[in-house]
């Protein structure tokens, strides 16, 4: 599949901006959705410099009405995307007692509800056309759990559950669904979500290296082009997911120890 029209959420920075630029290198017309108009314009400029075309839409994805209005405008003025990449995500990794109800709602709002709203809006036209793809970018938290990130983990599991359900639901229609699981990526995410970094379980960088945004974008691009059901980067997470399914108590114990070590060392 060579996607001609690609919609990316969370496209103003980090993974979203990098994957937008990567599709721009492939000559795609990229529709960039994010809240900050200045950063969004810079990301659109990068897409054009890479060789693609870009149309930015400043949208608060937490606002369902605003999100659906943008989707309607895109459908009317540009058309139905060949590919929808749900990359937007917010949320702090914090203990339950330090997480407010408002923060929990925000974490469900983006990524899960924003992805639900856009996917539900564009899916009928994709189904009628008999082609298209939807990708969901999530975290290892969708398949593992660790202390002091309970609300974040719940939101990522909601997103992954929605995506996996759609894989079965949309398979007969010609629309493919890709679930992308990325480990720690070097982006502004943790600067934008203070109090989270110290709750990352400490890991061996040889097994779970820090990814650059460009490496994450290349993994997403390659997985989508090959219509893969799952993309996991770094690959070692696949082994962790299998071990967690077979030996959940052992894996949970190891992760708790790794989290305590990270908090002690401040890493």
């Amino acid at each position: 599949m060579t996607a001609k029209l690609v919609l990316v959420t969370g496209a103003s920075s980090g993974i979203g901006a990098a994957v937008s630029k990567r599709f721009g290198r492939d000559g795609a017309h990229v529709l960039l959705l994010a809240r900050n108009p200045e950063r969004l314009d810079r990301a659109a400029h990068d897409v054009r410099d890479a060789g693609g075309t870009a149309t930015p839409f400043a949208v608060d994805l937490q606002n369902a009405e605003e999100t659906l209005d943008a989707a309607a405008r895109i459908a009317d003025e540009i058309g139905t995307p060949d590919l929808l990449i749900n990359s937007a995500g917010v949320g702090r990794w914090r203990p339950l007692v330090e997480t407010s109800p408002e923060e929990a709602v925000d974490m469900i709002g983006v990524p899960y509800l924003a992805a639900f709203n856009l996917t539900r809006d564009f899916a009928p036209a994709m189904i009628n056309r008999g082609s298209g793809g939807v990708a969901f970018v999530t975290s290892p938290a969708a398949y593992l759990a660790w202390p002091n990130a309970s609300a974040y983990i719940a939101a990522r599991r909601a997103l992954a559950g929605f995506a996996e359900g759609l894989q079965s639901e949309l398979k007969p229609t010609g629309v493919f669904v890709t679930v992308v699981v990325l480990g720690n990526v070097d982006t502004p995410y943790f600067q934008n979500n203070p109090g989270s970094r110290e709750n990352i379980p400490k890991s061996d960088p040889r097994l779970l290296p820090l990814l650059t945004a460009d490496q994450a974008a290349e993994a997403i691009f390659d997985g989508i082009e090959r219509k893969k059901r799952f993309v996991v980067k770094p690959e070692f997470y696949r082994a962790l997911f299998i071990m967690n399914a077979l030996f959940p108590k052992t894996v949970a114990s190891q992760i708790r120890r790794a989290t305590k070590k990270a908090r002690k060392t401040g890493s």
Side-chain angles (χ1 to χ4, degrees):
M1 173 183 179
T2 300
K4 302 299 184 184
L5 185 61
V6 181
L7 190 157
V8 181
T9 69
S12 62
S13 65
I15 296 168
V19 79
S20 296
K21 184 177 178 180
R22 179 62 186 86
F23 274 95
R25 277 172 45 201
D26 203 49
H29 180 181
V30 186
L31 312 173
L32 302 93
L33 272 65
R35 186 170 52 183
N36 187 296
E38 291 79 16
R39 290 204 302 252
L40 200 57
D41 285 340
R42 287 196 294 269
H45 181 78
D46 289 342
V47 171
R48 297 182 190 114
D49 279 351
T53 55
T55 306
F57 292 86
V59 178
D60 182 0
L61 294 166
Q62 293 279 8
N63 186 312
E65 183 177 357
E66 193 173 328
T67 301
L68 294 175
D69 284 348
R73 181 181 166 196
I74 289 168
D76 290 342
E77 297 178 5
I78 303 174
T80 300
D82 297 308
L83 180 64
L84 166 61
I85 303 177
N86 293 293
S87 176
V90 300
R92 294 187 183 186
W93 301 15
R94 302 176 70 179
L96 170 66
V97 296
E98 296 177 14
T99 305
S100 70
E102 292 78 15
E103 285 178 310
V105 169
D106 285 347
M107 281 187 264
I108 290 294
V110 178
Y112 170 55
L113 289 178
F116 174 89
N117 288 330
L118 285 171
T119 303
R120 186 181 184 278
D121 210 62
F122 287 116
M126 289 184 177
I127 292 168
N128 290 337
R129 188 177 61 196
S131 68
V134 186
F136 298 86
V137 181
T138 190
S139 155
Y143 302 100
L144 299 172
W146 54 87
N148 305 319
S150 52
Y152 174 92
I153 289 168
R156 268 53 186 182
R157 291 195 176 186
L159 184 67
F162 176 54
E164 289 181 38
L166 282 180
Q167 285 179 330
S168 296
E169 187 174 330
L170 296 182
K171 185 176 181 179
T173 72
V175 178
F176 71 92
V177 177
T178 299
V179 180
V180 181
V181 183
L182 298 173
N184 196 6
V185 183
D186 187 15
T187 71
Y189 186 89
F190 288 107
Q191 290 98 310
N192 297 334
N193 293 276
S196 300
R197 189 180 293 278
E198 60 265 37
N199 291 320
I200 302 174
K202 195 170 183 64
S203 59
D204 187 336
R206 294 170 297 179
L207 298 176
L208 297 172
L210 177 68
L211 302 174
T212 66
D214 286 342
Q215 286 174 324
E218 192 63 41
I220 295 168
F221 179 86
D222 180 69
I224 289 171
E225 285 292 297
R226 294 163 62 187
K227 298 185 181 179
K228 295 180 69 173
R229 286 171 57 84
F230 287 92
V231 174
V232 180
K233 193 80 171 177
E235 285 286 338
F236 187 70
Y237 275 113
R238 291 183 185 272
L240 284 180
F241 298 157
I242 293 171
M243 290 171 61
N244 188 53
L246 296 173
F247 311 107
K249 289 184 180 180
T250 301
V251 173
S253 176
Q254 292 291 335
I255 291 175
R256 282 196 299 271
R257 283 199 287 270
T259 305
K260 287 180 182 179
K261 186 176 181 180
R263 290 175 70 85
K264 285 181 180 178
T265 59
S267 61

